[in-house]
Amino acid sequence: MKLKLDWEQFTTRSFLRLSILAFTAIVSFYLGKHWSDDSSSLTFFSTTQSSPATSPSVAISPNANLSSILPQNATPAPPPLPRKVGIVDEAGSMRTNFSSDFALGTGIDGESDGAVGNETSDQVGSAVKFKVDKFEVCDEKLREYIPCLDNEEAIRKLESTERGEIWERHCPSKENSLSCLVPVPQGYKTPIPWPQSRDEVWFSNVPHTRLVEDKGGQNWISRDNDKFKFPGGGTQFIHGADQYLDQISEMVPEIAFGKHTRVALDVGCGVASFGAYLLARDVLTLSIAPKDVHENQIQFALERNVPAMVAAFTTKRLMYPSQAFDLIHCSRCRINWTRDDGILLLEVNRMLRAGGYFAWAAQPVYKHEEPQMEAWKEMENLTTQMCWTLVKKEGYLAIWQKPLNNSCYTSRDPSLAQPPLCDVNDNPNDVWYVNLKACISRLPENGNAANVSAWPARLNEPPPRLQEVQMDSIIAKNELFRAETKYWDDIIDGYIRIFKWKKLQIRNVMDMRSEFGGFAAALINQGMNSWVMNVVPTSEPNTLPVIFDRGLIGVAHDWCEPFDTYPRTYDLLHASGLLSKEQKRCNISSILLEMDRILRPGGLAYIRDSKDIMDETMEITKAMGWHNDLRDTAEGQYASRKILMCRKPMSRS
């Protein structure tokens, strides 16, 4: 009997304990749910001001609508974020002692290994507050300001200008760097969208008439009331770019626009009609010209939403890698290719892909006056010595092809081998402030770059030159390449679904830290009607050859200096991990001010970076008048990265 009473008391006490525990768990659950649901998120800036009652709900991350293996109301524990991952070395062994800055999971999303920037000494994780005074609008005379090309003080001090030194970069000192907001032209309007912009742009956005006055009779450009019109002509193709491109295809069918030829360079491009019309043939053309007497031609090209940047053949290498372009074109580009032992044409040769084509439309090709005939003879001799083959000469156009390997170079008579081959230690992919060299860049013995796939297959295939990128990963490079492509495909898919990117007028895009070009490839894979300027920072592994081999365009640049483009150039600036990387070398406020200079009014900036730098970044962008929205990435609230979505205002008071 006593045993039975003890058992009943035990079960009663156990039941009470279990009931109390269950009640506590239920209360804790609902309290946790209440406080979790009570935290609000910012709504992305809209030009239409909505009342709180009518503000639309916006997903926290691009993947918010995807199914999850976690219960909907569960709060996940903060996941461990490894700084390093394993890499298989050449011996086939796994090792972990390598820098992961450029590896999947850290480098792709840009997590910084170092402390936060110079502007604070607080430890990571502390509540740091930054205060930046509101930036003033610059003087009106800086409306078209390109800092490194408009440095009049440095230009006045040049010892020589005979080789075009005035068109080179002469960046202002840090003390004289831009510290204000470049003004917008009076009457500035939202740019006309592509493809209509190919044929017309607003006069008020590029209010310059010099080109109309100088080139009006050559079918380049005309003014019609409040618009500039572009008939599609050029100095050597006054009947239109389409007819001219047909002529090239008929002369050399092997050029095969949109298949064999995917990436082109147009030198001395005018208003870029050559590149504008090649876009319809699936050819991505980078149009370049100096900021010379026909000023603003690159600005017109960019306002037309055509890939372009300010660049010139002078005394330094252009900022593009070796074997970058399938076709290089020059139509009356006013360059003396044979001067100084052919040093300028040798720079063309460096950038031209093995087996690629050089098209030259100029008076020496077709005129029979003595000076022009002499110029043609010099060009013929130089190209022969460079082992180029004259494939076709017809009318006013001559087309050469570069050899596929070094056999012609090495078989030349040593006594006549001019220009010489470059030194074996010369790296043809080193371009940042590197002097031109009057020598022939050697082609890789393994044939890399000559054997890229046809477009569009080359976009998503790891190219052979990927293995030449100097980084810790060895055997795993192809896997990193594919992972980066998949990573950005998923993110861009989220941006399109959640933030309706396809409904926005996003045409001119810059990826400020491009790595393998996965962001740009994802825009193409996801059907975005955009082109991307892929920028590879000089402080990171040189992946530019990989980007061009994929059929994309890009440029090397140091973000501690301004970029060579006009103000109001891009619709979208994408910066993944850039600020946390470069803060170790330069002030991030100068980078953000440069972003403001080149971003169009109403344009977007997506800054995906370490959460430790976001307070400072938001304070600076707020001082610039940008509208900010800080969000979690798809990794969730505990991730080490955040995404700051910004919009530049249409006007400034």
Side-chain angles (χ1 to χ4, degrees):
M1 187 68 175
K2 184 177 183 303
L3 183 61
K4 181 178 181 182
L5 287 172
D6 289 343
W7 172 251
E8 289 176 352
Q9 290 172 357
F10 172 77
T11 54
T12 301
R13 286 195 298 269
S14 298
F15 177 79
L16 288 172
R17 289 193 186 104
L18 289 172
S19 299
I20 292 170
L21 286 172
F23 179 77
T24 303
I26 292 170
V27 171
S28 300
F29 174 82
Y30 280 101
L31 283 174
K33 184 177 186 300
H34 168 75
W35 289 112
S36 175
D37 289 347
D38 192 53
S39 59
S40 60
S41 62
L42 291 172
T43 301
F44 188 44
F45 171 77
S46 171
T47 53
T48 302
Q49 299 297 325
S50 302
S51 64
T54 60
S55 295
S57 60
V58 181
I60 292 299
S61 77
N63 290 342
N65 292 336
L66 299 179
S67 60
S68 171
I69 60 174
L70 293 170
Q72 189 171 7
N73 294 322
T75 303
L81 292 173
R83 292 280 183 172
K84 300 189 182 293
V85 295
I87 283 293
V88 179
D89 62 20
E90 290 175 318
S93 302
M94 179 70 76
R95 65 185 181 94
T96 59
N97 59 331
F98 71 98
S99 168
S100 62
D101 287 347
F102 199 75
L104 180 62
T106 52
I108 285 179
D109 229 15
E111 184 178 350
S112 172
D113 287 334
V116 293
N118 300 327
E119 298 180 24
T120 177
S121 59
D122 290 10
Q123 294 182 351
V124 174
S126 61
V128 181
K129 298 295 182 183
F130 297 90
K131 180 62 179 175
V132 180
D133 292 334
K134 180 180 178 180
F135 289 100
E136 299 295 328
V137 178
C138 305
D139 188 275
E140 180 65 21
K141 67 181 180 181
L142 296 181
R143 193 181 68 192
E144 317 294 354
Y145 183 53
I146 306 177
C148 294
L149 302 181
D150 290 331
N151 189 351
E152 296 179 0
E153 180 180 355
I155 292 173
R156 283 195 298 268
K157 295 178 180 178
L158 290 175
E159 295 180 1
S160 173
T161 60
E162 67 174 300
R163 289 178 172 79
E165 289 86 348
I166 58 174
W167 315 127
E168 294 182 333
R169 289 171 60 84
H170 307 285
C171 296
S173 62
K174 290 183 179 179
E175 301 77 39
N176 296 321
S177 61
L178 192 68
S179 59
C180 55
L181 307 173
V182 173
V184 176
Q186 185 176 3
Y188 183 88
K189 301 178 182 179
T190 300
I192 294 173
W194 180 267
Q196 183 184 351
S197 60
R198 187 194 72 174
D199 302 322
E200 59 182 19
V201 302
W202 298 116
F203 169 80
S204 58
N205 289 12
V206 194
H208 308 288
T209 59
R210 176 70 183 268
L211 272 175
V212 175
E213 296 164 1
D214 289 354
K215 301 294 182 179
Q218 297 180 10
N219 215 23
W220 279 30
I221 182 175
S222 63
R223 183 180 175 184
D224 183 6
N225 296 320
D226 61 347
K227 292 179 180 178
F228 285 114
K229 299 292 184 72
F230 303 94
T235 304
Q236 293 287 174
F237 44 99
I238 59 174
H239 299 298
D242 261 336
Q243 185 188 76
Y244 181 69
L245 295 173
D246 288 341
Q247 179 186 352
I248 293 175
S249 296
E250 291 168 5
M251 288 175 64
V252 186
E254 293 78 12
I255 285 179
F257 289 132
K259 294 181 180 178
H260 178 72
T261 297
R262 160 62 183 176
V263 187
L265 180 71
D266 188 19
V267 181
C269 63
V271 293
S273 289
F274 179 81
Y277 281 81
L278 269 175
L279 285 167
R281 304 180 186 222
D282 237 356
V283 177
L284 192 60
T285 304
L286 179 57
S287 300
I288 64 170
K291 190 178 182 182
D292 62 2
V293 292
H294 299 305
E295 61 178 333
N296 304 100
Q297 51 190 324
I298 292 299
Q299 193 174 24
F300 278 113
L302 290 162
E303 188 69 17
R304 296 178 74 184
N305 293 319
V306 176
M309 69 178 294
V310 184
F313 282 82
T314 51
T315 69
K316 301 285 193 302
R317 282 179 173 174
L318 276 71
M319 304 300 179
Y320 318 116
S322 67
Q323 300 198 74
F325 301 99
D326 308 314
L327 169 72
I328 297 180
H329 171 258
C330 159
S331 174
R332 290 289 291 272
C333 53
R334 300 190 302 164
I335 295 176
N336 181 0
W337 294 115
T338 59
R339 76 159 172 85
D340 296 335
D341 300 319
I343 196 168
L344 300 183
L345 197 62
L346 289 165
E347 173 65 356
V348 168
N349 182 76
R350 181 188 69 83
M351 298 185 294
L352 188 60
R353 193 176 300 280
Y357 297 90
F358 176 70
W360 189 40
Q363 291 182 356
V365 177
Y366 64 92
K367 284 202 169 183
H368 300 290
E369 291 87 349
E370 187 67 29
Q372 304 301 338
M373 293 176 65
E374 183 62 31
W376 169 254
K377 188 64 177 177
E378 291 177 2
M379 188 71 167
E380 198 172 31
N381 290 339
L382 176 60
T383 53
T384 300
Q385 292 168 343
M386 291 167 55
C387 293
W388 285 10
T389 301
L390 180 60
V391 181
K392 194 86 171 187
K393 180 185 178 187
E394 182 179 290
Y396 48 76
L397 185 62
I399 301 176
W400 288 267
Q401 185 175 24
K402 179 179 175 177
L404 286 167
N405 53 52
N406 294 317
S407 60
C408 173
Y409 304 143
T410 56
S411 64
R412 294 180 302 172
D413 185 334
S415 62
L416 303 175
Q418 295 297 325
L421 279 172
C422 294
D423 187 90
V424 291
N425 296 318
D426 175 65
N427 184 351
N429 294 316
D430 285 342
V431 297
W432 190 247
Y433 290 116
V434 175
N435 289 332
L436 293 180
K437 301 178 181 181
C439 58
I440 299 172
S441 296
R442 297 172 183 265
L443 293 171
E445 295 298 333
N446 57 17
N448 284 355
N451 52 358
V452 294
S453 302
W455 179 263
R458 64 193 276 190
L459 178 65
N460 294 307
E461 293 179 0
R465 284 203 288 182
L466 172 63
Q467 303 306 319
E468 299 172 10
V469 177
Q470 298 298 311
M471 53 187 288
D472 278 313
S473 172
I474 300 173
I475 297 177
K477 288 177 183 176
N478 285 353
E479 285 66 36
L480 287 176
F481 176 95
R482 293 188 181 97
E484 189 206 63
T485 301
K486 177 65 167 58
Y487 177 87
W488 286 115
D489 267 342
D490 290 343
I491 289 178
I492 298 303
D493 175 68
Y495 288 165
I496 290 172
R497 287 187 295 102
I498 305 301
F499 303 125
K500 313 301 181 186
W501 269 22
K502 286 191 177 179
K503 293 185 179 180
L504 303 176
Q505 293 178 5
I506 299 175
R507 173 64 182 173
N508 297 2
V509 179
M510 175 185 283
D511 188 6
M512 300 176 70
R513 182 175 179 249
S514 294
E515 298 183 340
F516 296 135
F519 179 85
L523 290 181
I524 296 174
N525 290 334
Q526 295 294 333
M528 286 288 292
N529 193 15
S530 309
W531 64 270
V532 180
M533 177 63 73
N534 293 281
V535 181
V536 174
T538 57
S539 57
E540 302 211 351
N542 184 6
T543 56
L544 266 181
V546 174
I547 287 169
F548 277 92
D549 287 357
R550 297 187 77 168
L552 306 170
I553 58 172
V555 64
H557 184 66
D558 184 345
W559 282 113
C560 292
E561 297 183 7
F563 191 81
D564 287 345
T565 193
Y566 281 88
R568 303 172 298 281
T569 293
Y570 289 94
D571 300 305
L572 171 67
L573 299 178
H574 178 255
S576 178
L578 177 72
L579 299 182
S580 57
K581 289 289 182 181
E582 300 294 23
Q583 66 170 347
K584 304 170 186 177
R585 304 174 52 247
C586 46
N587 192 323
I588 68 167
S589 63
S590 64
I591 299 177
L592 290 166
L593 280 169
E594 177 66 359
M595 292 172 67
D596 180 85
R597 187 184 71 84
I598 67 179
L599 187 62
R600 283 173 167 170
L604 304 173
Y606 275 43
I607 301 172
R608 191 179 186 92
D609 217 316
S610 166
K611 63 183 180 182
D612 301 323
I613 205 171
M614 284 303 177
D615 283 343
E616 182 180 4
T617 304
M618 289 180 68
E619 187 67 22
I620 295 170
T621 54
K622 180 181 176 182
M624 297 191 309
W626 288 12
H627 303 274
N628 297 333
D629 183 8
L630 183 65
R631 294 181 174 274
D632 293 331
T633 64
E635 290 92 336
Q637 59 180 315
Y638 295 109
S640 61
R641 293 169 287 274
K642 298 284 185 183
I643 180 167
L644 181 63
M645 300 186 296
C646 311
R647 186 187 292 272
K648 180 178 175 179
M650 278 296 295
S651 61
R652 290 190 165 112
S653 54

